[in-house]
């Protein structure tokens, strides 16, 4: 069963492009990654699904219901965490979470217990005023308000900003637990490693259009890394002429390149170099689009 | 109900402050009434020395100023001015604060229709205005009892007091309309004060210039105290204009709010 289904979903803000002809299908029980650079249209898609903005054309359904006509019924079963969280500063955390819970038809006692459980898990003081919380703690409030009613669909729009690595890990663990219990997750991010850790399938969006939908396994097999080396001697370009290397740049004693392929192959080559230092990092999404999805993009 | 209660709670302090302030204005000003009526002739002579245009601008009618209704009606024009600011602040703020406070994502991603959100908020705003008016009318009556030197009909006094509620309704509705029309309202006061004072000045200018048609442009002139004192009723055509303004502004607020895009808060 498809939990989310969009058909040629398009949104223009006046003349400026939001999303164009987005076709997306998220199946029940899936963790679906939605990745793209800032301004690509991730938030626009999500906000259209939630009824926060109205589509210019096309359609979108959640649980088989039209998002433009069945918003409240859909949102009853949806938990949403936006990238930036803002709540009522005059409220205490517990009051905000109770206020949030009051919108749902589900058993209040069960939600209350879950709020307490999640607050303990994330070490969040429920008695504090929202205004007194750090941004990271506000984000925890966001997670709890989004998950307390045990939604069937969890929509996360770049949710990890402001969370320290330990909390991020707990959050991902919690999401996997929710997924095992049956929740479907739409996870938007511009950080590839986050999506790789969590998702089953990923849609890549660029300039308002989905350019690729890929199983995460395939994406991992095609994983690209950027290598930056500092060498004792002047580098020899021919040493780097191996399969999978692209975007090679040699400046004085420094070498930078993208590599896609078996890590063993590249480490063999590196073993032959007289290294002072080396750094391996994920390329940014623009680089991935440029070097790995060039063909699809052109098509 | 949850949004309604949340809004009542959020406006609790400001409602108490407005009620206390309006009551204080009443108490202070009405306590001067005995001093004015002790020697009507002398007081009248002083006021007669004022240029007529100034008396008109200050809403002073020598024929009724020294009666409890007239004195109260004079005070009422300033109370209505203050009350209008309160109403417009609430009407504008209660809708726009979700966008200015960036909490719209939280509220509108909950299982409620936008019409339900507007209804709950406007109901809370109306409740606050009703509470303010009940307090204002109650204090008006008690103070009038304390200072009146002649018998007075409570009905006439309450009818006069009710004009504040009626004018506030207009500004509440206009506030809601402005809140959905203006994309981002950073300061509610920056919207309410110019609107209220502009309409107040238009009304006063109409009086000074003796142009009766200006009454149709300023809600402050919809309900003439002299007419109410004389007829113990409100002018029907202005009640109809009021109803039309409120219905159109509120209906437009619903339609625009329902159709509006809520852009990302970042």
């Amino acid at each position: 069963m498809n939990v989310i289904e969009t058909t040629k979903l398009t949104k223009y803000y006046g003349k400026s492009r939001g999303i164009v002809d987005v076709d997306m299908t998220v199946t029940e029980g899936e963790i679906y990654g939605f990745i793209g650079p800032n301004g690509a249209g991730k938030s626009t898609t999500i906000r259209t699904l939630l009824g926060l903005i109205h589509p210019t054309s096309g359609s979108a359904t959640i649980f088989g219901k039209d998002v433009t006509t069945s918003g409240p019924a859909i949102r009853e079963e949806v938990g949403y965490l936006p990238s930036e969280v803002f709540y009522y500063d005059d409220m205490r955390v517990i009051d905000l979470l109770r206020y949030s819970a009051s919108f749902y038809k589900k058993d209040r006692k069960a939600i209350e217990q879950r709020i307490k459980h999640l607050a303990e898990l994330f070490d969040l003081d429920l008695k504090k005023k929202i205004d007194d919380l750090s941004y990271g703690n506000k984000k925890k409030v966001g997670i709890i308000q989004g998950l307390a009613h045990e939604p069937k669909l969890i929509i996360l729009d770049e949710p990890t900003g402001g969370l320290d690595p330990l909390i991020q890990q707990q959050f991902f663990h919690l999401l996997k637990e929710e997924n095992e219990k049956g929740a479907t997750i739409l996870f938007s991010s511009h950080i590839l490693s986050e999506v790789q850790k969590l998702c089953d399938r990923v849609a890549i969006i660029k300039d308002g259009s989905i350019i690729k939908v890929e199983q995460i396994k395939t994406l991992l097999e095609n994983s690209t890394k950027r290598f930056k080396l500092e060498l004792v001697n002047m580098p020899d370009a021919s040493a780097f002429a191996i399969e999978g290397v692209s975007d090679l740049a040699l400046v004085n004693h420094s070498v930078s390149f993208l590599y896609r392929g078996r890590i063993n192959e590249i480490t063999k080559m590196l073993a032959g170099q007289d290294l002072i230092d080396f750094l391996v990092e994920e390329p940014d999404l623009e680089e991935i689009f440029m070097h790995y999805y060039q063909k699809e993009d052109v098509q | 109900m949850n949004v309604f209660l949340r809004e009542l709670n959020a406006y609790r302090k400001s409602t108490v402050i407005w009620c206390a302030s309006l009551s204080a204005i009443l108490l202070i000003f009405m306590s001067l009434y005995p001093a004015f009526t002790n020697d009507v002739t002398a007081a009248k002579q002083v006021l007669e020395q004022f240029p007529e245009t100034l008396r008109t601008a200050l809403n002073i009618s020598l024929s009724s100023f020294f009666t409890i209704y007239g004195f109260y009606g004079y005070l009422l024009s300033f109370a209505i001015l203050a009350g209008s600011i309160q109403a417009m602040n609430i009407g504008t703020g209660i809708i726009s604060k979700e966008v200015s406070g960036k909490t719209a994502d939280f509220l509108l991603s909950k299982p409620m229709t936008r019409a339900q959100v507007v209804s709950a908020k406007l109901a809370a705003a109306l409740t606050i205005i009703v509470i303010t008016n009940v307090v204002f009318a109650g204090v008006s009556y008690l103070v009038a009892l304390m200072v009146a030197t002649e018998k007075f009909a409570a009905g006439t006094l309450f009818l006069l007091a009710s004009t504040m509620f009626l004018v506030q309704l207009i500004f509440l509705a206009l506030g809601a309309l402005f809140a959905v029309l203006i994309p981002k309202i950073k300061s509610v006061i920056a919207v309410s004060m110019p609107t209220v004072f502009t309409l107040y000045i238009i009304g006063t200018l109409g009086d000074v210039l003796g142009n009766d048609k200006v009454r149709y442009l300023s809600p402050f002139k919809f309900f003439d105290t002299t007419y109410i004192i004389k007829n113990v009723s409100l002018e029907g055509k202005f009640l109809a204009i009021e109803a039309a303004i409120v219905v159109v502004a509120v209906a437009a607020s619903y339609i625009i709010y329902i159709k509006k895009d809520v852009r990302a808060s970042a």
Side-chain angles (χ1 to χ4, degrees), chain A:
Chain A
M1 181 196 160
N2 290 335
V3 170
I4 300 174
E5 197 169 341
T6 70
T7 310
K8 295 203 174 301
L9 192 65
T10 300
K11 175 67 186 177
Y12 276 91
Y13 300 103
K15 282 183 181 171
S16 67
R17 182 272 304 157
I19 50 172
V20 182
D21 291 342
V22 167
D23 292 325
M24 184 165 79
T25 306
V26 181
T27 56
E28 192 173 10
E30 186 176 28
I31 306 183
Y32 190 90
F34 197 36
I35 194 157
N38 291 329
K42 302 185 298 290
S43 294
T44 298
T45 308
I46 285 174
R47 299 178 81 77
T48 310
L49 291 173
L50 288 163
L52 293 170
I53 56 178
H54 304 283
T56 307
S57 62
S59 66
T61 61
I62 293 180
F63 309 123
K65 293 169 185 160
D66 192 310
V67 296
T68 57
T69 54
S70 304
I74 291 168
R75 292 193 291 270
E76 185 69 40
E77 296 294 349
V78 172
Y80 168 56
L81 177 63
S83 51
E84 300 275 334
V85 291
F86 296 95
Y87 301 113
Y88 307 100
D89 286 342
D90 59 320
M91 285 176 121
R92 291 185 309 151
V93 174
I94 186 67
D95 297 329
L96 184 280
L97 292 172
R98 281 178 183 152
Y99 182 48
S100 172
S102 71
F103 289 95
Y104 300 96
K105 289 174 188 156
K106 292 179 180 168
D107 179 32
R108 292 282 165 81
K109 277 186 184 170
I111 297 181
E112 182 90 14
Q113 277 178 350
R114 193 161 150 82
I115 287 171
K116 283 179 183 160
H117 165 69
L118 292 173
E120 273 176 34
L121 182 72
F122 288 114
D123 191 24
L124 180 69
D125 185 352
L126 292 172
K127 288 175 185 165
K128 272 199 168 180
K129 270 183 89 172
I130 298 285
D131 201 24
D132 296 332
L133 296 180
S134 66
Y135 187 71
N137 280 332
K138 280 185 189 169
K139 206 76 191 238
K140 291 177 187 175
V141 175
I143 295 170
I144 299 173
Q145 69 81 29
L147 301 183
H149 58 292
E150 298 196 273
K152 287 181 186 164
L153 172 64
I154 301 167
I155 296 179
L156 308 159
D157 189 2
E158 305 201 21
T160 53
L163 293 178
D164 64 50
L166 187 68
I167 300 294
Q168 266 190 41
Q169 205 179 348
Q170 282 175 323
F171 177 47
F172 281 16
H173 183 70
L174 177 66
L175 289 176
K176 283 195 169 160
E177 270 183 9
E178 292 306 305
N179 179 243
E180 279 160 20
K181 283 195 274 177
T184 306
I185 299 173
L186 173 63
F187 186 95
S188 143
S189 178
H190 64 271
I191 303 163
L192 192 61
S193 60
E194 283 187 349
V195 175
Q196 285 174 343
K197 264 184 219 166
L198 197 69
C199 301
D200 306 317
R201 212 152 56 106
V202 61
I204 296 172
I205 187 165
K206 190 186 177 194
D207 296 335
S209 300
I210 290 183
I211 57 166
K212 185 86 181 169
V213 179
E214 190 90 271
Q215 289 290 331
I216 207 76
K217 279 181 195 168
T218 316
L219 199 74
L220 283 170
E221 281 162 11
N222 293 329
S223 166
T224 304
K225 298 276 183 274
R226 174 165 287 286
F227 283 75
K228 288 178 181 172
L229 316 178
E230 279 293 325
L231 303 175
V232 175
N233 304 314
M234 290 295 279
D236 174 10
S238 63
F240 299 94
I242 61 171
E243 199 183 332
V245 169
S246 62
D247 201 25
L248 180 67
L250 290 83
V251 181
N252 298 325
H253 291 254
S254 302
V255 182
S256 166
F257 59 89
L258 286 173
Y259 178 72
R260 179 166 72 165
R262 296 188 62 216
I263 290 295
N264 263 352
E265 297 299 321
I266 198 78
T267 49
K268 274 182 204 165
M269 185 273 285
L270 290 176
Q273 301 294 321
D274 201 358
L275 291 168
I276 297 172
D277 197 7
F278 86 99
L279 184 71
V280 184
E281 57 187 19
E282 286 183 0
D284 63 36
L285 280 167
E286 284 300 327
E287 286 177 317
I288 291 178
F289 294 136
M290 290 292 287
H291 296 280
Y292 287 81
Y293 294 99
Q294 223 162 19
K295 283 180 191 171
E296 289 85 347
D297 208 6
V298 168
Q299 281 164 8

Side-chain angles (χ1 to χ4, degrees), chain B residues 56-128:
Chain B
T56 312
L58 291 172
N59 213 17
I60 297 171
S61 162
L62 287 179
S63 60
S64 64
F65 189 76
F66 299 96
T67 66
I68 188 77
Y69 300 134
F71 198 79
Y72 178 73
Y74 175 68
L75 152 72
L76 196 59
S77 63
F78 298 104
I80 290 174
L81 177 63
S84 299
I85 293 166
Q86 180 206 16
M88 187 132 185
N89 281 351
I90 296 170
T92 311
I94 208 162
I95 305 280
S96 71
K97 68 178 178 175
E98 305 292 349
V99 174
S100 60
K102 300 178 180 179
T103 48
D105 276 17
F106 168 80
L107 185 62
L108 299 179
S109 62
K110 298 297 169 198
M112 267 186 114
T113 63
R114 294 208 191 171
Q116 285 172 324
V117 171
V118 179
S119 300
K121 283 177 172 280
L122 290 183
L126 185 64
T127 306
I128 292 162

Side-chain angles (χ1 to χ4, degrees), chain B residues 92-171:
Chain B
T92 311
I94 208 162
I95 305 280
S96 71
K97 68 178 178 175
E98 305 292 349
V99 174
S100 60
K102 300 178 180 179
T103 48
D105 276 17
F106 168 80
L107 185 62
L108 299 179
S109 62
K110 298 297 169 198
M112 267 186 114
T113 63
R114 294 208 191 171
Q116 285 172 324
V117 171
V118 179
S119 300
K121 283 177 172 280
L122 290 183
L126 185 64
T127 306
I128 292 162
I129 296 299
V130 168
I131 291 169
T132 308
N133 278 277
V134 167
V135 171
F136 183 75
V139 174
S140 297
Y141 179 68
L142 291 175
V143 174
L145 278 181
M146 281 157 50
V147 302
T149 49
E150 73 266 45
K151 277 193 173 180
F152 67 94
T156 308
L157 193 84
F158 286 134
L159 197 61
L160 284 169
S162 74
T163 60
M164 183 166 95
F165 175 70
L166 292 169
V167 177
Q168 279 189 307
L169 269 188
I170 294 175
F171 283 101

Side-chain angles (χ1 to χ4, degrees), chain B residues 11 14 142 197 222 228:
Chain B
Y11 280 92
S14 83
L142 291 175
F197 277 104
F222 281 9
I228 296 168

Side-chain angles (χ1 to χ4, degrees), chain B residues 4 8 23 39 41 44 84 100 128 138 140 160 169 175 180 192 224 226 238 240 260 263:
Chain B
F4 173 77
L8 281 191
S23 301
D39 191 349
T41 319
K44 224 175 195 174
S84 299
S100 60
I128 292 162
S140 297
L160 284 169
L169 269 188
V180 295
S192 66
D224 180 43
T226 313
F238 284 101
K260 206 173 178 181
R263 303 283 289 268

